[in-house]
Amino acid sequence: MSDTLEKLAAVIDARKSADPESSYVASLFDKGMNSILKKVGEEAAETIVAAKEPDDAQLVHETADLWFHTLVMLAERGLGPGLVLAELERRFGISGVDEKAARKK
């Protein structure tokens, strides 16, 4: 699965230099971080709404949109999914209570 995220991140990164008139991703990069963040927020809200409904396919669809736009956000900062996956891996074996308490120190 992480291979899919890495491949998608590579495509997104390549779109940074594409023509904004011919690439949706390039148009997001062209508009800047505020527009990207607005899109992430919209997709997060749509995912929440979908989660309240019984249609699993719609929830998966909206989650995919959210993940995609989150990858665009990371790419705008020069980051990729590998860093997020590494952070999740680091958290394995740590209880959520302990992990949260460690953040407060």
Side-chain angles (χ1 to χ4, degrees):
M1 277 187 273
S2 65
D3 187 48
T4 301
L5 290 175
E6 292 294 342
K7 287 190 288 187
L8 182 54
V11 170
I12 289 169
D13 202 48
R15 294 291 198 283
K16 282 183 176 181
S17 59
D19 178 6
E21 296 292 321
S22 65
S23 168
Y24 171 70
V25 174
S27 73
L28 287 173
F29 287 126
D30 189 57
K31 292 174 188 169
M33 183 61 99
N34 284 340
S35 288
I36 294 168
L37 294 175
K38 181 178 176 188
K39 195 63 184 164
V40 170
E42 289 171 4
E43 296 302 340
E46 290 172 8
T47 301
I48 291 166
V49 170
K52 295 178 80 168
E53 299 299 326
D55 186 346
D56 290 344
Q58 187 62 28
L59 176 57
V60 169
H61 176 87
E62 294 300 344
T63 302
D65 286 350
L66 176 58
W67 287 16
F68 175 83
H69 288 89
T70 301
L71 288 171
V72 173
M73 176 189 66
L74 289 169
E76 177 68 6
R77 292 282 297 265
L79 305 171
L83 294 168
V84 177
L85 293 171
E87 175 61 16
L88 290 171
E89 182 69 27
R90 183 191 70 77
R91 295 180 187 186
F92 264 94
I94 302 171
S95 83
V97 172
D98 291 343
E99 196 278 331
K100 192 169 184 175
R103 284 190 242 161
K104 293 180 181 178
K105 291 180 182 177

